[in-house]
Amino acid sequence: MTGQHVRSKHRSRPWLHIFGIGLLLWVPTVVVTGLTGNTNLVPTVVLLGSFLVPVTFVVWLTY
């Protein structure tokens, strides 16, 4: 196996952590917005959702 790059199963994946944390923030915000009917939270849902995937993608590209 000389000269071959072997991927480790325990390799750090920061993009996955960022996506997971963002999803953990977005889902409760959607649930609370739906349950309370508070339209003031809609911009928060939109901003979290619209930044989550692009930020995750940029981190994925850098690692």
Side-chain angles (χ1 to χ4, degrees):
M1 292 194 130
T2 306
Q4 291 181 355
H5 179 66
V6 179
R7 289 189 176 196
S8 172
K9 289 184 179 183
H10 301 291
R11 195 173 110 182
S12 176
R13 295 181 182 167
W15 63 270
L16 192 57
H17 295 285
I18 290 173
F19 185 73
I21 291 169
L23 206 58
L24 286 175
L25 290 171
W26 184 78
V27 170
T29 307
V30 170
V31 170
V32 168
T33 303
L35 290 176
T36 62
N38 187 354
T39 57
N40 291 335
L41 293 175
V42 171
T44 304
V45 172
V46 171
L47 283 172
L48 279 174
S50 65
F51 279 102
L52 180 58
V53 172
V55 168
T56 304
F57 181 70
V58 169
V59 172
W60 179 75
L61 282 177
T62 59
Y63 284 92

